[in-house]
Amino acid sequence: EIRPTNKALIIDSGGTPRSAQWGIPAPWDGKPLINARSETLEKKQTFQPLLENRCIVPASAYFEWRKYGKKKLKNRIVLKDKSLMVFAGLLSESHFTIITCEPSSSIAHIHNRMPVILPGLAAKEWCNSSHPFKEVAPLLKPFNGDHLTVTEDMPKQADLFGSGFN
């Protein structure tokens, strides 16, 4: 499990695997920018200079939290065939952010966003620096949810004496 601000493996636009810190520093906020909305990348001054400095982020799974009353339940999302998935990202020196999009219909009940998962050759196209952003922007779309599997941590059962969840 990689968490925001941890270092993670990324592959830069030159095809070089390396370590980078998850979250681009935001001088106006104490929290790093761990995600970037695909729909507004070109409009945000923070991301405009990074549009030609793309990367991919390999992952075996990602985690999302679903609200259940006052609780939040952790969901592990993987590809059905258990292969690695590849997220679209942007790189700023030694930091990266993951690009998000609207969720696939199969996981929309969990969260209103999902990472852009690049299937097959799309990852190679995304990282190809000879393609301007406008050419690869159409790759930033929801992944086919039929290829995803979700495992959710279930809430603990209420005890026999009715004091709520353990």
Side-chain angles (χ1 to χ4, degrees):
E1 268 184 62
I2 305 293
R3 291 180 169 78
T5 72
N6 286 164
K7 288 200 171 214
L9 173 69
I10 59 109
I11 300 170
D12 65 24
S13 59
T16 305
R18 63 186 177 102
S19 178
Q21 189 172 356
W22 184 12
I24 295 173
W28 64 89
D29 191 356
K31 297 182 284 186
L33 303 173
I34 61 170
N35 297 322
R37 290 177 166 264
S38 61
E39 303 89 343
T40 59
L41 285 175
E42 291 181 283
K43 298 173 189 164
K44 300 285 184 177
Q45 289 182 353
T46 303
F47 300 121
Q48 287 172 349
L50 306 178
L51 296 178
E52 303 305 328
N53 198 21
R54 301 180 296 264
C55 66
I56 55 174
V57 184
S60 57
Y62 76 95
F63 298 90
E64 203 54 79
W65 298 86
R66 182 177 72 84
K67 290 182 182 176
Y68 179 77
K70 292 184 179 184
K71 294 180 182 272
K72 288 187 176 183
L73 302 176
K74 187 176 182 180
N75 287 263
R76 184 175 192 269
I77 302 166
V78 301
L79 293 179
K80 279 188 178 174
D81 67 4
K82 307 283 192 257
S83 63
L84 283 180
M85 58 181 88
V86 177
F87 303 141
L90 295 175
L91 192 57
S92 174
E93 298 171 16
S94 61
H95 297 81
F96 72 95
T97 190
I98 293 173
I99 301 173
T100 64
C101 61
E102 296 292 320
S104 298
S105 59
S106 66
I107 61 168
H109 68 285
I110 298 169
H111 198 271
N112 65 351
R113 305 292 297 169
M114 72 179 291
V116 171
I117 300 171
L118 298 169
L121 294 176
K124 188 175 182 178
E125 292 299 309
W126 176 254
C127 269
N128 186 336
S129 58
S130 69
H131 296 305
F133 176 76
K134 291 216 182 276
E135 279 183 27
V136 296
L139 299 173
L140 303 176
K141 60 187 179 184
F143 187 74
N144 182 344
D146 294 339
H147 299 292
L148 298 172
T149 298
V150 177
T151 306
E152 182 172 83
D153 287 348
M154 299 306 291
K156 294 181 180 176
Q157 298 237 331
D159 69 21
L160 293 175
F161 303 102
S163 63
F165 289 101
N166 295 330

